[in-house]
């Protein structure tokens, strides 16, 4: 297990503070899973936490950006978003079609009242955080 350096910006804290309580708790849990997973990967030493498209976003040097968000348009759900032009979601669909609910080629969607499948989700997060090192591998090395 490595000790990553987390570079975060105050605007991210402000964003979390503006979510409704239930959504904030779920998003903070996702945030913690991303940081925990990054810490478990020996190849990651730094993780940047910022806002992209107004959403909390996580970026590792050889990874693909991960975003998380809740929207008032769909108040009972929240999601983890990946770059839609990557192979991430198509690969996750092959691996976990019966585990996750997907939104197109960009997101895994969760309901506020459901438990997260943590083991599978951490594998998806790890793959995204190391994407540029694994994108040439069959099934992204999953």
């Amino acid at each position: 297990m490595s000790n990553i350096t987390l570079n975060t910006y105050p605007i991210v804290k402000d964003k979390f503070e503006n979510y409704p309580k239930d959504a904030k708790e779920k998003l903070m849990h996702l945030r913690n899973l991303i940081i925990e997973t990054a810490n478990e990967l020996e190849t990651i030493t730094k993780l940047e936490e910022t806002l992209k498209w107004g959403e909390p976003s996580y970026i590792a040097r050889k990874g693909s950006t991960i975003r998380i968000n809740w929207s008032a348009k769909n108040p009972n759900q929240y999601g983890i978003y990946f770059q839609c032009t990557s192979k991430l979601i198509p690969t996750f669909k092959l691996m976990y079609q019966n585990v996750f609910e997907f939104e197109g080629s960009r997101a895994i969607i969760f309901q506020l009242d459901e438990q997260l499948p943590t083991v599978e989700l951490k594998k998806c997060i790890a793959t995204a955080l190391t994407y540029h090192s694994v994108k040439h591998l069959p099934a992204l090395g999953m």
Side-chain angles (χ1 to χ4, degrees):
M1 185 178 283
S2 66
N3 276 324
I4 64 164
T5 300
L6 178 65
N7 296 327
T8 190
Y9 297 88
I11 56 172
V12 179
K13 182 180 179 192
D14 294 342
K15 180 68 176 180
F16 278 110
E17 292 302 321
N18 287 313
Y19 286 117
K21 184 180 186 265
D22 290 349
K24 177 183 174 183
E25 288 175 7
K26 295 294 188 168
L27 290 169
M28 288 300 292
H29 182 65
L30 268 183
R31 175 190 187 267
N32 292 336
L33 277 179
I34 293 167
I35 295 168
E36 178 183 307
T37 303
N39 256 318
E40 293 169 356
L41 298 169
E42 292 180 15
T43 58
I44 296 180
T45 57
K46 293 179 186 174
L47 186 66
E48 182 179 358
E49 180 181 47
T50 188
L51 291 184
K52 292 215 180 252
W53 300 281
E55 301 170 348
S57 302
Y58 302 86
I59 308 161
R61 185 171 164 259
K62 293 197 177 207
S64 181
T65 301
I66 300 171
R67 295 178 292 119
I68 60 177
N69 198 33
W70 169 90
S71 171
K73 290 179 188 175
N74 296 299
N76 296 320
Q77 67 184 38
Y78 63 107
I80 184 166
Y81 298 83
F82 304 92
Q83 187 171 350
C84 62
T85 57
S86 73
K87 299 176 188 175
L88 291 165
I89 291 292
T91 302
F92 301 161
K93 284 179 178 179
L94 286 173
M95 304 296 289
Y96 301 120
Q97 64 186 346
N98 298 320
V99 176
F100 295 121
E101 177 185 342
F102 297 95
E103 183 179 290
S105 62
R106 68 185 200 119
I108 300 172
I109 301 298
F110 309 104
Q111 302 305 311
L112 286 177
D113 63 354
E114 74 180 354
Q115 285 288 108
L116 290 180
T118 303
V119 172
E120 296 88 344
L121 183 55
K122 285 181 72 173
K123 287 184 181 185
C124 295
I125 292 168
T127 302
L129 290 172
T130 58
Y131 181 69
H132 293 290
S133 299
V134 300
K135 66 183 179 182
H136 66 283
L137 299 174
L140 304 178
M142 293 183 74

